Amino acid sequence: MQNCMGCHTATGGGIAGKVPPLAHSLGYFERVPGGREYVMRVPGASNSALSDQQLADVLNWLLMTMNREALPPDFKPYTAAEIAEHRRPAFADVAPRRAALVREMQRRGIREVAPVY
Ligand code: HEC
């Protein structure tokens, strides 16, 4: 609520044209190579004031409450150690990385994540 809601909104629905949704969307990133890392290194997550444990907890909460249908069956929750190892540096080139991930999702038949939000 204090660190993410201002942009992503309380429902995780995002803001059309500006901020992508986290609800019913983020889980699909866990299905493609590089997506798990993307979620940790996107600037809003990577640069947040949250500790590694807090970031792991909030990502797991988003994924397991708002993305159940999107997660791969073998999803393993993030750990603080994994976050510590991978969250930095934040991606400086988010847009092309996101676009490549969404293309890979579409190649696999996943159409729920919009290339443009
Ligand atoms: C200042 C606004 C802002 C804040 C605050 C913010 N985000 Fe974001 N977030 C964005 C934008 C914009 C994007 C799209 C990628 C980009 O341009 O960085 C994004 C993308 C993401 C993504 C990838 C989703 C996708 O579809 O690409 C995740 C995961 C994410 N944010 C998590 C968080 C978390 C967790 C927090 C709180 C700790 C947070 N964000 C705080 C603006 C924000």
Side-chain angles (χ1 to χ4, degrees):
M1 289 296 165
Q2 290 176 7
N3 292 275
C4 320
M5 185 189 84
C7 294
H8 289 282
T9 78
T11 61
I15 302 170
K18 295 198 172 83
V19 183
L22 298 179
H24 313 295
S25 183
L26 201 54
Y28 296 106
F29 286 84
E30 304 291 329
R31 291 179 176 260
V32 292
R36 189 175 174 97
E37 185 187 4
Y38 171 80
V39 166
M40 294 182 266
R41 290 184 61 193
V42 75
S46 173
N47 293 332
S48 73
L50 300 181
S51 70
D52 296 331
Q53 184 67 61
Q54 288 171 324
L55 183 56
D57 289 346
V58 80
L59 290 176
N60 290 334
W61 175 76
L62 286 165
L63 287 163
M64 292 189 286
T65 61
M66 300 182 177
N67 284 277
R68 277 238 164 256
E69 79 290 0
L71 282 178
D74 60 348
F75 172 74
K76 295 207 178 42
Y78 288 93
T79 63
E82 180 184 12
I83 298 281
E85 193 177 338
H86 296 286
R87 78 188 280 184
R88 296 193 180 85
F91 284 133
D93 54 346
V94 190
R97 285 183 184 271
R98 188 181 191 282
L101 292 170
V102 175
R103 271 198 306 278
E104 179 57 21
M105 288 178 212
Q106 293 187 339
R107 201 184 65 77
R108 296 174 182 224
I110 299 169
R111 314 244 170 254
E112 287 82 350
V113 179
V116 177
Y117 42 83

